[in-house]
Amino acid sequence: MSRSVLLTAAKEDTEVFRSELEEKPVSILHYPLERYEALEDNADILDALENLEEYENIVHASKRNAQFWIKWLQEFDKMEEARNQLNLALNQHTADYLEEQGIPAVHPHSEGKAINLLEFMLRIKRIGKTLYPCGDKTAEDLPALLRELDMEVNELVLFTLEGPEENKLEEYRKDFAAHQPEFVIFHSRRSVNRTLAAFPNANFNDPYIISGDQAVTDKLEKEDIEVNEQAEGSWGSILKKVKEAL
């Protein structure tokens, strides 16, 4: 018997998660409440593209970050320059995507944690100026860790976070009303706000609640939503909790 899981993260953030559950007795109610849009022509982006040789490393913390960066490289014919840099990927999923695009990528650790990548950079003595493609509303750990060691890092904002368009949100609400998920995943603090706003009449007391980490759990408790399982801050750990609960 198939059981349903409510998932509200962006499509590109959950590719591996969803594919891992394809063979499991579970149906995913995927209503992406997060949507990413590329910035228009931006002076900081153009400057980074023109001065790629100044950077000792380009760090790709997610496939999404890499996808937006590749689009700019292709548009301005800078793929070859990017290939000549040391491209570091935080996880295997991102490294695979870069390799598919013809950019050799180093992926030093299977866990995909920022501290592991930082340790690798120190070990190979790549501690010069670092380019870090990213979005405008995503707090990521590695830039702060680099700055703590007085390393120069350029957090290059390539995209912004938006919500779903109104017609798409209405579609999600109608479909949600026809289903009662057995599991609900709150992957981030932001997802708590967005999910409660998108489905204001939903009852989250009955489903099995999985939170992404302690900060998410704390926020849910303030909303009087009881957490059944708490992951360790990664999609891999959330996936593990879902599989254990099935």
Side-chain angles (χ1 to χ4, degrees):
M1 179 179 176
S2 179
R3 308 174 77 182
S4 56
V5 178
L6 175 63
L7 180 65
T8 62
K11 292 180 179 179
E12 57 267 39
D13 288 338
T14 58
E15 288 180 351
V16 175
F17 178 88
R18 288 181 284 119
S19 66
E20 286 286 333
L21 291 178
E22 285 181 355
E23 303 301 322
K24 299 294 182 179
V26 61
S27 60
I28 298 179
L29 305 176
H30 189 202
Y31 310 132
L33 300 179
E34 299 174 355
R35 178 172 56 90
Y36 296 92
E37 290 188 356
L39 297 181
E40 299 298 329
D41 287 0
N42 177 286
D44 292 335
I45 298 174
L46 298 178
D47 180 70
L49 288 166
E50 287 300 319
N51 297 284
L52 279 179
E53 71 281 354
E54 294 183 2
Y55 296 95
E56 191 162 2
N57 314 289
I58 303 177
V59 174
H60 308 274
S62 69
K63 180 179 176 180
R64 180 183 62 248
N65 291 4
Q67 286 174 319
F68 280 98
W69 178 235
I70 291 294
K71 288 179 181 178
W72 279 100
L73 293 174
Q74 292 173 337
E75 181 175 348
F76 286 87
D77 196 24
K78 293 289 183 177
M79 289 289 287
E80 189 60 36
E81 286 89 336
R83 290 188 187 99
N84 293 331
Q85 302 299 107
L86 176 62
N87 287 268
L88 300 169
L90 192 61
N91 53 61
Q92 189 63 54
H93 189 48
T94 303
D96 290 344
Y97 170 75
L98 289 166
E99 295 283 352
E100 289 169 3
Q101 302 302 314
I103 293 183
V106 178
H107 164 46
H109 203 283
S110 60
E111 290 185 25
K113 293 182 178 179
I115 189 65
N116 299 132
L117 185 53
L118 176 61
E119 290 172 350
F120 177 76
M121 293 170 70
L122 292 171
R123 190 161 63 248
I124 64 173
K125 296 182 172 60
R126 300 298 291 227
I127 56 177
K129 188 175 182 181
T130 296
L131 183 63
Y132 195 92
C134 60
D136 64 346
K137 295 184 178 68
T138 304
E140 302 191 20
D141 294 332
L142 188 60
L145 293 174
L146 292 171
R147 291 192 179 96
E148 286 180 7
L149 297 176
D150 294 324
M151 296 184 190
E152 185 177 357
V153 56
N154 178 8
E155 289 183 82
L156 186 64
V157 176
L158 304 179
F159 55 89
T160 186
L161 176 63
E162 302 287 351
E165 296 177 348
E166 189 59 34
N167 62 337
K168 182 60 70 173
L169 181 57
E170 286 302 316
E171 179 183 318
Y172 294 159
R173 285 172 172 163
K174 288 180 181 178
D175 195 62
F176 180 84
H179 301 86
Q180 180 59 49
E182 283 83 11
F183 300 90
V184 176
I185 295 170
F186 291 97
H187 62 281
S188 67
R189 287 170 55 86
R190 184 174 61 238
S191 74
V192 177
N193 294 334
R194 288 177 179 263
T195 302
L196 297 184
F199 310 110
N201 300 318
N203 177 10
F204 291 108
N205 293 319
D206 293 334
Y208 193 89
I209 303 297
I210 299 175
S211 83
D213 58 28
Q214 184 62 55
V216 181
T217 297
D218 292 343
K219 188 170 183 61
L220 287 166
E221 288 177 348
K222 289 180 181 178
E223 299 289 344
D224 294 322
I225 297 175
E226 183 179 351
V227 173
N228 299 101
E229 291 285 353
Q230 178 181 303
E232 300 175 1
S234 68
W235 279 106
S237 64
I238 293 174
L239 177 65
K240 181 179 179 181
K241 294 297 184 184
V242 173
K243 286 182 175 180
E244 290 174 350
L246 287 175

